[in-house]
Amino acid sequence: MILDFGSINMDLVMAVTALPRPGETVLCDGYVTKPGGKGSNQAVAAARAGARVAMAGAVGDDGFGQVMRATLAKEGIDTALLATSDRPTGVAYICVDAKAENFIAVGSGANLGVRADQVADDRLTPETLLILQMELPPEQNWALLKRARARGCRAILNVAPAAAVPEAALRDLDLLVVNEHEALAIAGGLGLDTSSPQAAARALSGRMALTCVVTLGGEGAIAVGPDADFAVPALPIQPVDTTGAGDTFTGVLAAGLDAGLPLDQALRRASTGAALACLALGAQESMPTAVAIDAALPRLGPTTPI
Ligand code: RIB
Ligand code: NA
């Protein structure tokens, strides 16, 4: 069972011909509201991939909050641990250009009021796989992680957006999911090898006794850990919107591990799912079901040793 302690945002998405530069105004036809937030995206990705998912987080007492609660519930996600905050529901302004490049600014709102004690101890069992990202107050993340660890949960941290992670928290993780920049930043912050993403992953894995997965966008991902030393390719696609691709990767990966798949197979599903999620505007729009992942999986190239 997956417990996702994470952020919930309403995304206001604009498809622009070119991203505005600082000081510039660009016009486009309009905007669409799409459910988002890294926490909520990962919960939805995991649920569509077939996992049982509970989400702890917060929304505001407003229209976006109602929509976000309903969206999660519709995906079959347990929403009993969601709080209603005095602050407004988190919002992300997202511009996507014709080449699928984007920028995202998040107004965190209710996410800043999320507390680790929203999750009672009885939710933290050895069957629980906790997933965390970096859009909640970090000290709440670390407080929940510590309790979860003491109670025998497995834990995955996706360090997105990039942020500092204390050494004690890293030691409490089974799996760290980072992109290349995040891998180098975390390894660098600890004085470890940063000569390449592989070197950083190897150093982090060795020092912190965890498995480090580094996502490489169109190049796929690598995994380095006690039982892992391999690269998984990406599915070749023409992206429309890459928003939420990393979240889909983490959510599908978590679903695979929760179902007891070996890391290699879970990663192959994650890589395939992340590519499929890029085929429509909006983070959750084209997130695949388990059936869609199964159908696309034969097109993914082989796993290779690194
Ligand atoms: O990772 C994509 C997400 O980042 C968006 O849905 C947006 O809400 C921001 O949190
Ligand atoms: Na998308």
Side-chain angles (χ1 to χ4, degrees):
M1 154 112 215
I2 293 176
L3 173 63
D4 178 0
F5 184 62
S7 58
I8 300 171
N9 298 328
M10 183 59 89
D11 292 352
L12 309 187
V13 186
M14 280 174 251
V16 296
T17 18
L19 298 179
R21 288 177 303 238
E24 192 185 16
T25 300
V26 299
L27 301 182
C28 67
D29 290 350
Y31 73 97
V32 285
T33 54
K34 300 277 183 186
K38 295 183 195 299
S40 132
N41 292 343
Q42 294 184 15
V44 170
R48 287 197 193 159
R52 269 177 56 221
V53 182
M55 175 147 196
V59 294
D61 184 10
D62 50 27
F64 285 164
Q66 284 167 18
V67 174
M68 292 307 299
R69 275 181 183 278
T71 300
L72 292 167
K74 204 179 79 202
E75 300 286 343
I77 295 162
D78 173 358
T79 57
L81 299 177
L82 293 188
T84 302
S85 168
D86 292 341
R87 304 174 208 245
T89 300
V91 162
Y93 284 105
I94 303 182
C95 282
V96 184
D97 73 10
K99 290 185 231 133
E101 295 286 349
N102 64 28
F103 76 66
I104 305 181
V106 175
S108 292
N111 296 303
L112 294 180
V114 175
R115 297 189 46 87
D117 61 18
Q118 285 173 229
V119 182
D121 272 351
D122 63 1
R123 290 282 191 156
L124 304 172
T125 72
E127 288 72 49
T128 308
L129 175 58
L130 177 67
I131 59 178
L132 305 165
Q133 316 79 30
M134 296 304 304
E135 288 188 327
L136 297 182
E139 72 282 2
Q140 301 300 323
N141 262 356
W142 313 145
L144 184 61
L145 175 59
K146 195 163 173 222
R147 274 174 54 217
R149 198 55 175 190
R151 296 186 52 82
C153 304
R154 290 191 292 164
I156 300 178
L157 171 65
N158 173 215
V159 190
V165 182
E167 219 175 302
L170 288 168
R171 288 187 193 284
D172 278 341
L173 296 172
D174 297 281
L175 199 68
L176 181 68
V177 181
V178 285
N179 66 26
E180 327 178 33
H181 308 290
E182 294 152 359
L184 297 178
I186 294 174
L190 295 165
L192 300 173
D193 192 344
T194 56
S195 53
S196 69
Q198 282 92 329
R202 196 157 282 128
L204 278 167
S205 157
R207 174 76 75 87
M208 302 301 163
L210 50 72
T211 297
C212 183
V213 170
V214 185
T215 58
L216 304 168
E219 303 293 308
I222 57 168
V224 179
D227 315 307
D229 217 352
F230 53 82
V232 168
L235 209 60
I237 47 141
Q238 283 293 336
V240 174
D241 180 9
T242 60
T243 309
D247 298 330
T248 306
F249 184 98
T250 301
V252 175
L253 176 60
L257 296 176
D258 186 54
L261 293 184
L263 180 62
D264 168 40
Q265 282 182 40
L267 273 173
R268 293 179 64 76
R269 300 186 73 79
S271 183
T272 303
L276 297 175
C278 297
L279 299 178
L281 199 68
Q284 298 176 12
E285 205 66 27
S286 57
M287 271 180 190
T289 60
V291 170
I293 294 173
D294 286 334
L297 208 47
R299 287 173 22 227
L300 190 72
T303 301
T304 50
I306 50 173

